[in-house]
């Protein structure tokens, strides 16, 4: 992958993402609010019946902000922002409702120059995610709603859509989508594997490894690059009985899990907040320090992991070496944590 010298000219739809398009509703809350709804700091969960009131309450907060969200959609958007030109290098598939929030998501995707093709339905409203911000922590509660209605046969399988999938060279799907349409993920993953293209996935949240381990492990043989953070890595290791809490060892054991396409060695990349990012580079596990940032400059860590992946993917589609991909990931995550939500300035300042 070391074509650092000559830039690969990018074409439209080179990067394909599929996931849960959500509208983030972010507000600064206090500890009482978290306790009231039984939320943990820095957790990501799916909304249950008793969270209904949370969504009604959070919009009443004095400083509520709405941002286009959803983990995979954030990542492809950041990748497109890092790439800048040409537009529409990134494609995104997901399901929304025919409603105001759906319209906002369409508009935001267009403004980000992402080629979004949503499956639109009337059964459920567009999904939302309550981002409850306390200091530099965030607790996310996702109400998937429409996002949960994605149908492989009604969208992914349509010729015009599948053609867009085939155009891509790099694929990224967050683990969150395993709760929605594992069949869609497998179809894309197998296509990538059979055509020696790069399929990337994310552990996304501890609950994925805990409660969706079966679909996760069905996709794992097709995963060329696996992302995750230190908490997700630890949970994954526990679920698979790795019997270690050493992050480098977890990365190595994950790299060595069975793999379909043996032409590509699996790469595992674990971020650890302000601590070094851990990545398997060939046979070695390497530590990459993140960019320094003053605590007072951190506004909101929501979207930091998504931004890291987005930056990484923007270099990966240019066929840059892994060190470069990680440097780009660290840069974009550093930009995003200085701002509310997964938002970014007009242009990146990355060389």
């Amino acid at each position: 992958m070391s074509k650092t010298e000559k830039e690969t000219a990018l074409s439209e739809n080179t990067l394909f993402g599929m996931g849960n398009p959500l509208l983030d509703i972010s507000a600064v809350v206090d500890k009482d609010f978290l306790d009231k709804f039984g939320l943990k700091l820095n957790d990501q969960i799916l909304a249950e019946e008793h969270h209904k009131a949370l969504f009604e309450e959070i919009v009443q907060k004095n400083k509520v902000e709405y941002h286009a969200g959803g983990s995979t959609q954030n990542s492809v958007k950041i990748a497109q922002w890092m790439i800048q030109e040409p537009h529409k290098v990134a494609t995104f598939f997901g399901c929304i409702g025919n409603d105001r929030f759906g319209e906002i998501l369409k508009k935001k995707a267009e403004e980000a120059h992402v080629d979004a093709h949503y499956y639109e339905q009337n059964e459920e409203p567009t999904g939302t995610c309550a981002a409850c911000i306390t200091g530099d922590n965030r607790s996310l509660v996702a109400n998937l709603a429409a996002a949960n209605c994605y149908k492989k046969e009604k969208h992914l399988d349509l010729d015009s859509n599948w053609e867009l999938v085939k155009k891509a060279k790099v694929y990224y799907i967050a683990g969150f989508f395993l709760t929605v349409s594992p069949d869609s993920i497998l179809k894309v993953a197998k296509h990538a594997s059979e055509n020696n293209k790069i399929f990337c996935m994310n552990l996304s949240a501890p609950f994925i490894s805990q409660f969706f381990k079966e679909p996760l492990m069905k996709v794992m043989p097709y995963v060329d690059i696996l992302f995750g953070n230190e908490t997700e890595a630890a949970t994954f290791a526990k679920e698979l009985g790795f019997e270690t809490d050493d992050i480098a060892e977890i990365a190595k054991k994950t790299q060595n899990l069975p793999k379909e396409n043996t032409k590509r060695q699996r790469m595992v990349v674990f971020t650890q907040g302000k601590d070094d990012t851990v990545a398997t580079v060939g046979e070695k596990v390497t530590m990459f320090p993140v960019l320094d940032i003053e605590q007072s400059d951190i506004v909101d860590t929501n979207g930091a992991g998504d931004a890291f992946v987005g930056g990484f993917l923007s270099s990966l589609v240019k066929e840059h070496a892994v060190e470069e991909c990680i440097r780009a990931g660290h840069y974009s995550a550093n930009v995003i944590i200085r701002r509310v939500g997964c938002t970014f300035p007009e242009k990146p300042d990355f060389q």
Side-chain angles (χ1 to χ4, degrees), residues 194-233:
E194 285 157 12
N195 294 279
N196 195 29
K197 299 182 193 177
I198 304 175
F199 182 80
C200 314
M201 200 156 188
N202 202 315
L203 291 174
S204 290
F207 81 84
I208 297 292
S209 297
Q210 289 167 316
F211 307 115
F212 295 88
K213 183 167 117 187
E214 197 187 337
L216 174 64
M217 295 319 289
K218 261 197 187 137
V219 182
M220 199 55 74
Y222 304 100
V223 177
D224 295 301
I225 303 179
L226 182 72
F227 297 101
N229 67 22
E230 73 277 39
T231 323
E232 294 148 12

Side-chain angles (χ1 to χ4, degrees), residues 159-225:
D159 288 345
S160 59
N161 289 333
W162 188 248
E163 281 307 314
L164 289 170
V165 176
K166 292 198 317 206
K167 274 177 82 174
K169 295 193 175 101
V170 174
Y171 300 84
Y172 175 66
I173 301 176
F176 289 124
F177 202 57
L178 286 163
T179 75
V180 174
S181 185
D183 290 352
S184 297
I185 301 178
L186 272 172
K187 182 174 179 176
V188 172
K190 285 177 178 170
H191 167 80
S193 180
E194 285 157 12
N195 294 279
N196 195 29
K197 299 182 193 177
I198 304 175
F199 182 80
C200 314
M201 200 156 188
N202 202 315
L203 291 174
S204 290
F207 81 84
I208 297 292
S209 297
Q210 289 167 316
F211 307 115
F212 295 88
K213 183 167 117 187
E214 197 187 337
L216 174 64
M217 295 319 289
K218 261 197 187 137
V219 182
M220 199 55 74
Y222 304 100
V223 177
D224 295 301
I225 303 179

Side-chain angles (χ1 to χ4, degrees), residues 42 203 206 227-237 245-247 250 269-276 278:
N42 281 335
L203 291 174
F227 297 101
N229 67 22
E230 73 277 39
T231 323
E232 294 148 12
T235 307
F236 181 70
D245 48 18
D246 178 285
I247 191 135
I250 295 172
V269 185
F270 291 144
T271 55
Q272 313 188 79
K274 62 182 186 316
D275 297 323
D276 294 1
V278 181

Side-chain angles (χ1 to χ4, degrees), residues 113-187:
H113 308 297
V114 168
D115 194 14
H117 293 256
Y118 296 112
Y119 168 50
E120 297 181 47
Q121 47 73 60
N122 294 313
E123 313 281 295
E124 288 278 348
T126 296
T128 47
C129 177
C132 310
I133 318 288
T134 49
D136 61 357
N137 290 304
R138 53 98 184 105
S139 193
L140 306 177
V141 185
N143 180 23
L144 297 184
N148 206 22
C149 301
Y150 189 83
K151 298 278 183 287
K152 175 175 165 289
E153 56 288 350
K154 291 210 172 134
H155 195 262
L156 186 68
D157 292 346
L158 303 181
D159 288 345
S160 59
N161 289 333
W162 188 248
E163 281 307 314
L164 289 170
V165 176
K166 292 198 317 206
K167 274 177 82 174
K169 295 193 175 101
V170 174
Y171 300 84
Y172 175 66
I173 301 176
F176 289 124
F177 202 57
L178 286 163
T179 75
V180 174
S181 185
D183 290 352
S184 297
I185 301 178
L186 272 172
K187 182 174 179 176

Side-chain angles (χ1 to χ4, degrees), residues 13-26:
N13 310 113
T14 304
L15 171 64
F16 176 84
M18 176 167 61
N20 299 331
L22 305 174
L23 190 72
D24 282 352
I25 304 172
S26 48

